């Protein structure tokens, strides 16, 4: 059938070859473009702007052509008449052409091969037959921004520009364009039609008649031509040719809504005769759109149902049910002329011809019509048309199209049911009708598609498994190779063959699926943009680099041949690329993730960021799928001063506040973040209805459980202490003590007063300063923001209950205190505690402030007001500063009552009997329902809208009735109904109740539910006048102040209990909030009552202990509780009672003055004190907190209490604190009434030039009593060491120094010629060691060897007493004799380092040294030195926790070599004689002179420097000499550091570490050496430094070494030193920074399991780790987490089994997992579990070798843990396995 041969591309073919946006593909559509004018003005021309532009371009080309060639330019008529093959449209319909045509394979066939010659050619609609002027029936399938897509018969698609819809739409577009031109100069039209929604003009699925305006072939380079059909649905074109007489009933016309009336719409038909109008009743509109939703310009295809008498009004109907009912009516039988038969009209056809390719017939006997193979129903039914229709019968059909190219008028019709009914094709399914695409979605693959019909040269119809709807496969889509011919009887595509097909498209007009058999189509992942999901991973190739004014603006990535995506410049990589063109070249394969898809614009955005592509987090593409707490990465697209906008997938965006960008303070986000950066965030709040979301970069899990608990327990009004961590321009950041939470204190909240005063107070605050008694004013748990205040007015208001924190605490008339939050023109917003905010209108401000700027207020200023009104429904309340009178209240109450309670009648009373509010009289017995239960009251309901309250004091009759005395109301539940008695109306102004006569518009009744009150007896209301002194009451805590508890006896009566009177148990007073929470019950006794002053004091202590204490009641030795009222550095002030207070001085605080520290006490803390002395005349008492007196402690008292001068005796050694530093000496406090004097001459043995600078007040000193005068109360003391110590040695003088003497000292000065040495423990005796005497070899650089302060050991070479000069020597050979003595075990040979001198025999004169001085040296066991140094060096080497240090016995026996041995290494290098065990070290006895002479026999002049390797370094010089030879030895450097630390020279140890870092060469061999030094340096700072110093060293260490290694080492150091909090914080940093290393996660989990005993937190790490790590790490890490459950004392073995079972079920062949689990179970000791596990593993399919291993291991286990029977069972199972294995092989 030649008419169905179409080599032109259909829409589905175009979609597969190259997919573009609707604007770019439709070059012939006159839509708006950025570079073109918006729209033609005035409607003077019917040409679109693009058509004008094309005409101008062609005209210019013609002129240039004629000027250059002199020839006439060619015409374009032939282009409009020829199709892509160059053949003309047929002029004679009855005579088909016999011209040979090219088939799809390029060969020619005769027309007779496809269809026989007949009188009327049966043919369908095709692109070449669709000429301008044609009319066609189509269906709306897509509504775009600037045009409408209309699906046409035979798989054609046309597009309707926005200017071809209706005149009304065109006018609206022009008006919008003109408005845009006026506002922006007419530049661009991107937003010119943003207010015009085409979906209100037409609807998807609507049938319309379209007029073909033009057909174009748009060709690209190297691409086949793409056909484009431009249509118009304007009634002027769609009804073209219709006259007044042609408008007959049952004909179809296109109409547009011109106006919407009450009962219908007036329609315009677009005829030349403008007097003809249409009217459509609201009942005839149909289901497409409701009458109220109709807009002017909407287009409808309507049925003419009637005409007015004059023919000017045409009655129309667009109801598909009426139009589609053509069985008996609504079809056109007779018409005045053939022009009435336009597309859409139903007609009656007389069949004249039936063939396999369709049928032909006539309408009215004159007009020829044809129905092709598709629209005749042959394709869908599969039955031959000859059996369905016969020649001469009449059938119903609907006109589809016209063929204006033919001389004789001819129409195309459709016989399909859905076309006849003008509905969508549907499939019946369970009492509902489904769209075919719902049953068989586009792009889906049909595994078995059966060929049902073959049309040679055209294609095949296939059954796709969908009832009543078939698919069509064009011949070009049968195979990737060219298919020459197809036949229904032979070939691979004959009828009945099965193929695999893919759905390309669906044509709702034809009722056919379009499919393909091509393998390339089947293999392609995506056919349409709709097939791709947002967040999906796609692969593609770089097709083009997008260049803009700024450079490379992005990359186009081709995903498939027809789908491309844009990668914006910010998404090219995780980092900003300077030259993207070098990295992304055309053809490069990339993996991307889809960011967003815009189906309307046919655009897809991709990302190449690895952090997004490789992320396993949930894709956030829709707000309603998200929840608070979810975590995912996002991209920063905009950075603001207040935060940043984070883009996720699709249209999902979130706002990242600056306070949530980091755990630390960030002032300017742009300094820390950049646009395009990927950040990991978690959701803190989300509103899916408003599409709003707040995210945070803070790790919710890094905010520890303890901190979360602390934040949750922190209530507004709580008192806190903290330390200033940062200061900004307007606020102070405070780190709260104990909890570590960060809080914010505005400058304005430091003090009350002016802004200048607040600023002055802020300048006094320094970073690191402690702030006390701050009050929490508000908190935000989601944002973790705590606001503090130090305003005294607010603190006092909270203490007195006038600073509300919740809406429930408010009552009308209540006086409240707050601060100004904001100021507007109409009033002031006042904020209270807990972010509670009220509004103070300007008219209710104090008089005289309305004219002042901002009403004379400023933000954060303190302010007081009264509650004016409360709106409970809206949670709003207003304030006033004007006095409120009773009359005004009554008027306000009455007016409000008229509005809300017009008749005071009750609705749904709880008691069922009350009818009016007036029924609730004083003393009435009723029933109430609990609405809510608070700490101090129950809110109840008496009836609808009638509220009441029951104070906690009106619930219980006696103390025994209270079950939970901390929470008395805990036993009551909401909705519980209780009997109650009316006490009055609650008065919120003073928290009391009034008589019923004072009730207002919404009375809140005060009630009692006490069982004793539920009688008809007269009600006795408690008042303060009725409270008698010494009476007992049941009270309830109402508020907690700093120094007392406020309690309620009744709603009217409140009193105070001082802290000291709260309980006899002083330990409970330390934490009042927990031990006596608000609402708790107490039994109290009245101490003092004054009704005139409204004053009531009570006591909850026992009667004997609660008597008011006076000075006369005290006695010496009495132990009393007290409250700390003041803390200084010298004393604490404590209060015993209301009248008694006294200080506790340093000498009275502790029994060991070293621990005396007043700052350990806190204000309001309760302490026990003992009365030491009473001075009644002067009204003074002396108190003591010494444990020996307060607790009767038996611990030794290091500093006994001195009560009098007579207690002291001469030569007593005492300690005391300096009281005063005077010119004549210092005065030392020994007790409160005993002071000693130390003269200047008795301060020190040596002369001190500026002695006052060495002594300070309160400094602890030790002295000896040298004189006592009891009569004058005078005590003389001395601080000299020579007086204090009996073993005191006088300083060494020049006269005491002899040649050959060995001394120790310090380097005083270093010169190029030598070093000056000051001898230790001498009277400033110093000498010179020339550089020739420093070492055996020549020394050129003395400064490189020694520094000032280095300790050395030297030998006296020469002494000149007259000139007071001494020459020293430092050569190693000078100490050979001493070293030999040390080796032989002579204790005398070891010099006294502390004494600074050591005597040896002089080999030159043979004289012997007196043993008097040598006997005084403090000798140490070398083994002890060795062991101590071993431990020290090991600690500084940073070994792991489980590093084992040999015990003393092992060290002594296995390491006989003497000398300094640090770090557990042998200085001899393993070369010493192992037989040295025979050498004894006798340190107890003295050696005889003969032995000494015998040891001096070796030649003393021999250089024995090599013995240093045997004995180890003993001085600074020794270390320096060794380091000259081994500068890269970390062991030597660490030993050197340990040596200095033993001498308490911490600063020198730091200097040695710095020298080591500078000295050790960088290289592969020395990396470990340098690492050892850094670790030791960190250990040093951890022990002796501060947090700042260790942080500085740590940062430097990370720069020089592997950061992960240094993080691990520092964490290990923290754990070893017990600093678990710091260790946890560091491990949190590690799991973020080094998340790709499984060891980091495992170490953190081990820490949580074993060290801090937090197994649940450790378990929470596993899912986070699996998200961060690569998949090949998942199994091993999961296995190790399971092992922790077994091995840790805090683990759950059952949980570990569950994890292992999950792993084994997934990886049953992982034998290593079986082995690990077996080991764990064996260690756990559960024999049944072990045997069961052995049975499972041996029952699995194992190789023989592996099975033998497990059976052997099982047998060994049974031999050890089981018995003979169990062993035999194992052997039997093994034998069975062998037999089964042999059977399988055979």
């Amino acid at each position: 059938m030649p008419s169905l041969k179409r080599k032109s591309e259909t829409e589905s073919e175009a979609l597969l070859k190259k997919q573009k946006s609707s604007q770019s593909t439709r070059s012939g559509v006159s839509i708006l473009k950025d570079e073109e004018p918006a729209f033609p003005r005035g409607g003077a021309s019917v040409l679109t702007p693009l058509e004008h532009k094309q005409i101008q371009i062609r005209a210019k080309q013609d002129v240039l052509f004629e000027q250059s060639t002199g020839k006439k330019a060619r015409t374009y008529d032939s282009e409009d008449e020829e199709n892509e093959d160059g053949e003309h449209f047929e002029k004679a319909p009855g005579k088909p052409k016999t011209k040979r045509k090219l088939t799809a394979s390029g060969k020619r066939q005769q027309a007779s091969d496809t269809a026989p010659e007949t009188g009327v050619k049966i043919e369908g609609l095709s692109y070449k037959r669709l000429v301008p002027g044609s009319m066609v029936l189509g269906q709306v399938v897509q509504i775009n921004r600037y045009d409408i897509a209309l699906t046409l018969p035979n798989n054609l698609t046309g597009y309707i520009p926005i200017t071809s819809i209706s005149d009304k739409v065109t006018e609206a577009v022009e008006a919008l364009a003109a408005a845009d031109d006026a506002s922006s100069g007419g530049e661009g039209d991107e937003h010119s039609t943003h207010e015009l929604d085409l979906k209100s003009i037409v609807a998807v699925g609507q049938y319309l008649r379209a007029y073909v305006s033009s057909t174009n072939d748009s060709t690209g380079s190297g691409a086949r031509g793409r056909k484009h059909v431009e249509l118009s649905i304007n009634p002027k074109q769609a009804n073209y040719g219709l006259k007044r007489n042609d408008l007959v009933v049952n004909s179809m016309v296109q109409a547009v809504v011109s106006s919407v009336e009450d009962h219908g719409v007036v329609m315009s038909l677009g005829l030349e005769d403008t007097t003809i109008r249409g009217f459509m009743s609201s009942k005839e509109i149909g289901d497409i759109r409701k009458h109220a939703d109709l807009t002017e310009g909407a287009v409808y295809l309507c049925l003419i149902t009637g005409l007015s008498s004059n023919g000017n009004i045409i009655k129309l109907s667009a109801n598909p049910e009426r139009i589609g009912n053509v069985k008996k009516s609504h079809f056109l039988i007779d018409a005045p002329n053939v022009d009435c038969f336009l597309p859409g009209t139903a007609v009656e056809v007389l069949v004249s011809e039936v063939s396999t390719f369709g049928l032909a017939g006539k309408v009215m006997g004159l007009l020829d019509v044809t129905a092709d193979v598709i629209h005749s129903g042959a394709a869908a039914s599969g039955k031959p048309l000859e059996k369905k229709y016969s020649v001469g019968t009449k059938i119903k059909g609907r006109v589809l199209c016209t063929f204006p190219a033919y001389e004789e008028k001819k129409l195309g019709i459709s016989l399909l049911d859905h076309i006849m009914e003008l509905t969508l094709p549907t499939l019946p399914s369970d009492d509902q009708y489904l769209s075919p695409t719902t049953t068989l979605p586009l792009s889906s693959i049909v595994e078995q598609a059966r060929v049902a019909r073959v049309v040679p040269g055209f294609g095949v119809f296939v059954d796709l498994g969908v009832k009543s709807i078939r698919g069509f496969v064009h011949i070009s889509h049968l195979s990737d190779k060219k298919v020459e011919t197809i036949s229904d009887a032979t070939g691979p595509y004959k009828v009945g063959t099965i193929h695999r097909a893919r759905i390309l498209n669906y044509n709702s007009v034809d009722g056919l699926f379009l499919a393909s058999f091509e393998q390339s189509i089947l293999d392609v992942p995506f056919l349409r943009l709709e097939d791709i999901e947002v967040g999906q991973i796609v692969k593609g190739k770089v097709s083009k680099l997008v260049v803009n004014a700024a450079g490379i603006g992005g990359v186009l990535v081709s995903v498939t041949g027809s789908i491309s995506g844009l990668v914006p410049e910010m998404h090219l990589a995780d980092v900003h690329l300077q030259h993207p063109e070098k990295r992304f070249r055309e053809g490069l394969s990339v993996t991307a993730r889809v960011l967003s898809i815009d189906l309307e614009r046919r655009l897809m955005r991709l990302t190449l960021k690895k952090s997004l592509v490789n992320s396993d987090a949930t894709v956030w593409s829709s707000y309603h799928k998200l929840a608070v707490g979810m975590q995912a990465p996002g991209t920063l697209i905009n950075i603001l001063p207040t935060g940043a906008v984070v883009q996720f997938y699709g249209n999902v965006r979130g706002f990242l506040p600056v306070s949530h960008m980091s755990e630390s303070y960030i002032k300017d986000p742009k300094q820390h973040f950049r646009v395009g950066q990927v950040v990991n965030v978690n959701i803190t709040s989300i509103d899916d209805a408003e599409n709003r979301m707040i995210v945070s970069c803070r790790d919710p899990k890094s905010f520890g459980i303890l901190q979360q608990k602390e934040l949750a327990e922190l209530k507004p009004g709580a008192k806190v202490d903290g330390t200033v961590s940062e200061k900004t321009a307007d606020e102070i950041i405070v780190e709260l003590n104990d909890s570590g939470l960060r809080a914010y204190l505005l400058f304005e909240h430091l003090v009350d007063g002016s802004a200048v005063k607040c600023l002055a107070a802020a300048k006094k605050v320094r970073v690191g300063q402690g702030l006390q008694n701050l009050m929490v004013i508000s908190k935000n748990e989601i944002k973790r923001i705590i606001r503090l205040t130090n305003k005294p007015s607010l603190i006092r208001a909270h203490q007195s209950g006038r600073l509300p924190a919740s809406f429930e605490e408010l009552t009308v008339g209540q006086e409240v205190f707050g601060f100004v939050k904001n100021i507007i023109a109409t009033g002031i917003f006042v904020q209270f505690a807990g972010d509670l905010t009220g509004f103070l209108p300007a008219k209710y401000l104090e008089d005289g402030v309305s004219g002042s700027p901002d009403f004379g207020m400023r933000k954060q200023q303190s302010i007081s007001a009264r509650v004016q009104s409360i709106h409970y429904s809206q949670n709003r309340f207003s304030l006033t500063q004007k006095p409120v009178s009773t009359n005004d209240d009554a008027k306000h109450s009455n007016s409000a009552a008229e509005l809300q309670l017009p008749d005071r009648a009750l609705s749904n009373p709880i008691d069922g009997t009350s009818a009016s509010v007036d029924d609730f009289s004083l003393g009435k017995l009723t029933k109430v329902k609990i609405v809510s239960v608070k700490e101090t009251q129950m809110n109840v309901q008496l009836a609808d809208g009638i509220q009441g309250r029951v104070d906690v004091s009106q619930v219980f009759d006696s103390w025994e009735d209270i079950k939970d005395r901390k929470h008395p109301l805990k036993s009551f539940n909401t909705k519980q109904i209780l009997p109650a008695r009316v006490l009055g109306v609650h008065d919120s102004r003073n928290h009391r109740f009034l008589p019923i006569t004072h009730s207002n518009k919404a009375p809140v009744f005060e009630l009692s539910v006490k069982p004793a009150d539920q009688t008809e007896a007269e009600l006795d209301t408690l008042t303060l006048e009725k409270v008698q002194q010494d009476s007992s009451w049941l009270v309830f805590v109402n508020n907690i102040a700093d120094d007392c508890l406020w309690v309620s006896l009744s709603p009217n009566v409140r009193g105070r209990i001082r802290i000291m009177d709260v309980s006899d148990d002083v330990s409970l007073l330390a934490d009042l909030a927990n031990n006596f929470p608000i609402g708790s019950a107490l039994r109290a006794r009245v101490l003092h009552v004054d009704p005139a002053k409204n004053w009531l004091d009570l006591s909850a202590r026992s009667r004997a202990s609660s008597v008011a204490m006076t000075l006369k009641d005290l006695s010496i030795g009495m132990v009393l509780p007290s409250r700390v009222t003041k803390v200084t550095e010298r004393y604490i002030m404590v209060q015993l009672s209301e009248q008694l207070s006294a200080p506790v001085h340093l000498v009275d605080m502790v029994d060991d003055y070293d621990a005396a520290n007043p700052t350990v006490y806190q204000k309001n803390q309760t302490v026990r004190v003992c009365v030491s002395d009473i001075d009644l005349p002067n009204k003074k008492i002396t108190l003591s907190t010494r444990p020996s007196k307060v607790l009767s402690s038996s611990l030794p008292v290091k500093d006994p209490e001195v009560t009098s001068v007579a207690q002291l005796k001469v030569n007593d050694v005492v300690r005391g604190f300096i009281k005063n530093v005077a010119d004549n000496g210092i005065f030392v406090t020994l007790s409160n009434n005993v002071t000693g004097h130390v003269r200047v001459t008795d301060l020190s043995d040596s002369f001190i030039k500026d002695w006052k600078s060495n002594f300070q007040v309160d400094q602890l000193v030790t002295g000896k009593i040298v004189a006592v005068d009891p009569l004058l109360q005078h005590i003389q003391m001395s601080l000299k060491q020579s007086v204090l110590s009996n073993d005191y040695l006088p300083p060494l003088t020049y006269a005491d120094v002899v040649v050959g003497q060995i001394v120790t000292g310090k380097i005083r000065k270093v010169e190029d010629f030598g070093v000056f040495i000051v001898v230790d423990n001498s009277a400033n005796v110093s000498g010179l060691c020339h550089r020739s005497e420093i070492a055996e070899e020549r020394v050129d650089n003395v400064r490189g060897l020694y520094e000032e302060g280095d300790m050395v050991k030297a030998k006296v070479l020469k002494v000149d007493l007259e000139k007071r000069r001494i020459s020293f020597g430092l050569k190693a050979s000078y100490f050979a004799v001493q070293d030999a003595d040390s080796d032989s075990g002579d204790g005398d040979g070891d010099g006294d380092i502390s004494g600074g001198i050591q005597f040896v025999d002089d080999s030159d004169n043979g004289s012997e040294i007196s043993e008097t001085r040598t006997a005084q040296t403090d000798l140490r066991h070398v083994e002890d030195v060795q062991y101590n140094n071993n431990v020290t060096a090991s600690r500084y080497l940073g070994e792991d926790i489980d590093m084992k240090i040999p015990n003393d016995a092992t060290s002594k026996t296995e390491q006989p070599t003497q000398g300094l041995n640090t770090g557990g290494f042998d200085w001899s290098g393993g070369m010493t004689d192992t037989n040295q065990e025979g050498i004894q070290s006798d340190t107890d006895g003295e050696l005889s002179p003969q032995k000494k002479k015998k040891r001096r026999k070796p030649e003393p002049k021999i250089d024995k420097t090599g013995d240093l390797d045997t004995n180890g370094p003993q001085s600074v010089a020794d270390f320096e000499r060794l380091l000259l030879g081994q500068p890269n030895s970390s062991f030597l450097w660490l030993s050197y550091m340990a040596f200095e630390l033993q001498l308490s020279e911490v600063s020198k140890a730091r200097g040695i570490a710095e020298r080591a870092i500078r000295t050790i060469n960088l290289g592969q061999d020395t990396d470990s050496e340098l690492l050892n030094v850094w670790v030791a340096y960190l250990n040093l700072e951890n022990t002796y430094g501060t947090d700042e110093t260790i942080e500085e060293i740590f940062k430097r260490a990370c720069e020089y070494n592997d950061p992960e290694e240094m993080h691990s080492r520092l964490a290990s150091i923290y754990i070893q030193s017990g600093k678990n909090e710091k260790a946890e914080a560091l491990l949190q940093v590690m799991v973020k920074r080094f998340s790709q290393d499984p060891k980091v996660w495992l170490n953190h989990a081990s820490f949580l399991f074993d060290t801090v005993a937090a197994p649940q937190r450790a378990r929470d790490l596993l899912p986070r780790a699996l998200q961060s790590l690569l998949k090949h790490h998942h199994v091993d890490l999961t296995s190790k987490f399971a092992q922790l459950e077994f091995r840790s004392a805090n683990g759950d073995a059952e949980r570990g089994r569950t994890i292992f079972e999950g792993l084994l079920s997934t990886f049953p062949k992982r034998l290593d997992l079986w082995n690990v689990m077996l080991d764990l179970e064996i260690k756990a000791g559960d024999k049944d579990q072990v045997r069961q596990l052995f049975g499972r593993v041996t029952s699995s399919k194992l190789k023989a070798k592996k099975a033998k291993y497990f059976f052997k291991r099982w047998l060994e286990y049974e031999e050890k843990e089981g018995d003979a029977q169990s062993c035999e069972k194992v052997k039997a199972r093994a034998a069975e396995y062998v037999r089964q294995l042999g059977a399988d092989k055979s």
Side-chain angles (χ1 to χ4, degrees), residues 350 656 1093 1295 1339 1411 1434 1564 1593:
L350 179 64
L656 175 61
K1093 296 182 180 179
V1339 177
E1411 295 181 3
S1434 299
Q1564 184 175 1
I1593 300 302

Side-chain angles (χ1 to χ4, degrees), residues 1510-1719:
T1510 303
N1511 303 314
Q1514 300 293 325
S1515 65
V1516 173
D1518 293 345
F1519 281 107
E1520 295 294 344
R1521 282 191 292 272
L1522 290 172
L1523 288 173
L1524 285 175
Q1526 301 179 20
N1528 293 331
S1529 173
S1530 62
F1531 173 72
L1532 285 180
W1533 289 108
L1534 301 191
S1535 302
Y1536 200 175
M1537 291 172 63
F1539 174 77
E1540 293 292 356
L1541 288 175
Q1542 285 182 339
L1543 302 176
S1544 300
E1545 297 288 351
V1546 179
S1547 60
K1548 289 187 178 181
R1550 289 192 179 102
I1552 293 170
E1554 293 289 347
R1555 282 181 58 196
I1557 294 171
R1558 295 192 303 266
T1559 304
I1560 296 177
N1561 297 326
L1562 296 177
Q1564 184 175 1
D1565 298 336
T1566 57
D1567 286 346
S1568 60
E1569 304 290 337
L1570 196 58
L1571 177 62
N1572 292 338
V1573 176
W1574 280 111
V1575 174
Y1577 205 173
L1578 288 174
N1579 267 293
L1580 174 68
E1581 295 300 336
N1582 181 57
T1583 306
Y1584 299 101
T1586 62
D1587 292 342
E1588 291 76 14
T1589 58
I1590 194 171
E1591 181 68 20
E1592 179 184 356
I1593 300 302
F1594 177 61
K1595 289 181 179 179
R1596 291 176 55 196
C1598 291
E1599 294 176 359
Y1600 282 87
N1601 305 277
D1602 180 20
E1604 182 179 352
E1605 177 69 20
M1606 295 312 304
H1607 278 76
S1608 300
R1609 292 300 184 103
L1610 183 57
S1612 179
I1613 292 172
Y1614 281 151
I1615 295 172
Q1616 293 181 51
S1617 58
K1619 299 179 180 179
N1620 293 337
E1621 293 181 359
K1622 293 183 178 180
E1624 183 173 1
L1626 190 62
L1627 289 171
Q1628 289 280 2
V1629 173
M1630 292 180 65
V1631 297
K1632 295 178 183 176
R1633 187 173 177 183
F1634 312 108
S1635 58
Q1636 298 298 317
D1637 189 352
K1639 293 187 296 184
V1640 173
W1641 297 96
L1642 189 61
N1643 290 339
H1644 193 183
S1646 301
F1647 170 78
L1648 294 175
F1649 263 111
D1650 301 329
T1651 306
V1652 300
Q1656 187 56 45
R1657 294 176 55 196
R1659 294 168 186 138
D1660 294 340
L1661 286 177
L1662 183 57
R1664 291 176 54 196
L1666 298 181
Q1667 289 182 355
S1668 302
L1669 295 172
L1670 298 177
K1671 289 188 177 180
H1672 65 270
H1673 292 303
H1674 289 188
V1675 177
D1676 293 338
L1677 186 65
T1678 306
S1679 170
K1680 291 177 181 177
F1681 267 78
Q1683 295 176 43
L1684 285 176
E1685 297 284 356
F1686 277 95
R1687 294 171 179 170
S1688 174
N1690 301 303
D1692 184 359
E1694 191 60 37
R1695 187 183 184 93
R1697 292 189 186 98
T1698 304
I1699 298 175
F1700 266 112
E1701 290 295 342
L1703 289 174
L1704 292 175
S1705 62
T1706 308
F1707 307 98
K1709 295 184 179 180
R1710 287 285 299 266
L1711 299 181
D1712 56 330
L1713 296 178
W1714 290 100
N1715 272 321
V1716 172
M1717 192 172 180
L1718 279 170
D1719 292 338

Side-chain angles (χ1 to χ4, degrees), residues 122-152:
I122 300 175
E123 57 187 359
L125 191 65
S126 64
Y127 176 76
K128 69 177 182 178
R129 298 186 182 92
L130 204 61
V131 297
S134 301
M135 291 190 188
V136 63
L137 180 66
Q139 190 180 44
V140 178
V141 291
Q142 186 175 345
I143 302 175
N144 301 318
R145 189 172 185 179
Y146 299 117
D147 59 13
I148 301 170
L150 209 67
T151 182
L152 305 177

Side-chain angles (χ1 to χ4, degrees), residues 272-285:
E272 294 180 359
D273 188 352
T274 57
T275 60
I276 303 175
R277 292 182 300 171
F279 179 79
M280 183 164 59
S281 173
S282 59
K283 297 180 181 179
E284 299 294 338
I285 295 175

